[in-house]
Every structure is written in C-alpha cells, then in structure tokens.
Amino acid sequence: MVKLIMGEKGSGKTKILVDRVIEAINKEDGDVVVIERGRELTYNIPYSARLIDASVYDIGSYEFLKGFLCGLHSGNYDIAHIFVENFFKIVNDKSEDSLVAFITWLKSFSENEHIDFVLSLSTDSGSAPEAIKDLIID
C-alpha cells in the first residue's frame, strides 16, 4: 500500500503522519521506519519507530532513494511501514513525470515486499497528477 498526505505548508500533514506512525506501531507486528530531512520529529514519534535523518545521506535523486529503500529492506526484512516526511525536501526533482514514475515503482515495491508506505508532500492535492489521486489520504 502506498498513501500520500498532500497539502500546503501548515495544513496539518505532519500531525496526520505522526498519528499514522503511532497507529502503525500499535497495530503491526513489524518494524516502523520514519525518514525525514532533519530531526524535527524526534519528540513526536514513539521511540519504537526508527527515525532516519535523510540529510545525513544527501539523497537528492529518485534513483538514490530507490536504492536507499531497497537497502533498508535488505538490512531488515521485518519492516512493515515506512513513512517519509516532507518528501520534496529529500528529493530535488519535483516534476510531475518523475513523481508519478517513482510512485509507480514504489507501489510495485510495496506489493512485492509487503511494506506499507506513507509519504507527505507539500503541494496542493488538487493539482496532483491523475495517476496518483487515488492514493491521497483525505
């Protein structure tokens, strides 16, 4: 499963993501990973979730992020959920085509490896590409 939390800055995306993290920790048997740029969520998410500061790795591109996610999974097959906060602060390419291609890959990866993904994106959900509108959390 891949879900997207979309909205402009200050619209409450982080609160929704934190609530989803807590829900995943309480309901799932597997590990929960949260990826963000910086360490803003350190005191917002439970200690049992693995918080990863993406700025340490200077991810930048979609290809790097794909490799990073595959590496996380290959190092821990018990991961059940991966949350990505402020997605566009981690990847540099904000183009619609690149985003749709990445989400398409992520859906396939999610299904094959049984990992649920939730990404927050600082952009208006009304302007989301048609191909990903069904993934948006209302």
Side-chain angles (χ1 to χ4, degrees), residues 25-109:
I25 289 169
N26 291 333
K27 287 186 177 180
E28 295 293 331
D29 292 330
D31 294 339
V32 175
V33 175
V34 180
I35 302 169
E36 68 167 332
R37 185 166 183 84
R39 293 218 171 252
E40 301 295 319
L41 297 178
T42 300
Y43 301 107
N44 297 72
I45 61 170
Y47 69 90
S48 55
R50 171 78 165 108
L51 182 61
I52 298 174
D53 180 357
S55 65
V56 173
Y57 304 101
D58 194 28
I59 293 174
S61 73
Y62 287 102
E63 291 304 311
F64 192 122
L65 183 55
K66 287 178 187 179
F68 188 80
L69 294 173
C70 289
L72 278 176
H73 177 60
S74 69
N76 182 356
Y77 289 114
D78 292 331
I79 295 173
H81 281 64
I82 296 179
F83 295 85
V84 182
E85 170 71 343
N86 284 320
F87 183 78
F88 286 134
K89 286 188 177 180
I90 295 172
V91 296
N92 299 327
D93 184 353
K94 295 171 181 59
S95 73
E96 188 174 297
D97 291 341
S98 296
L99 176 63
V100 170
F102 175 77
I103 298 296
T104 301
W105 173 85
L106 192 63
K107 285 170 51 178
S108 175
F109 183 71

Side-chain angles (χ1 to χ4, degrees), residues 95-134:
S95 73
E96 188 174 297
D97 291 341
S98 296
L99 176 63
V100 170
F102 175 77
I103 298 296
T104 301
W105 173 85
L106 192 63
K107 285 170 51 178
S108 175
F109 183 71
S110 171
E111 291 169 11
N112 291 337
E113 303 304 331
H114 310 288
I115 301 173
D116 292 338
F117 289 88
V118 176
L119 285 64
S120 77
L121 297 94
S122 289
T123 187
D124 178 36
S125 61
S127 65
E130 204 59 44
I132 63 171
K133 282 192 176 187
D134 62 324

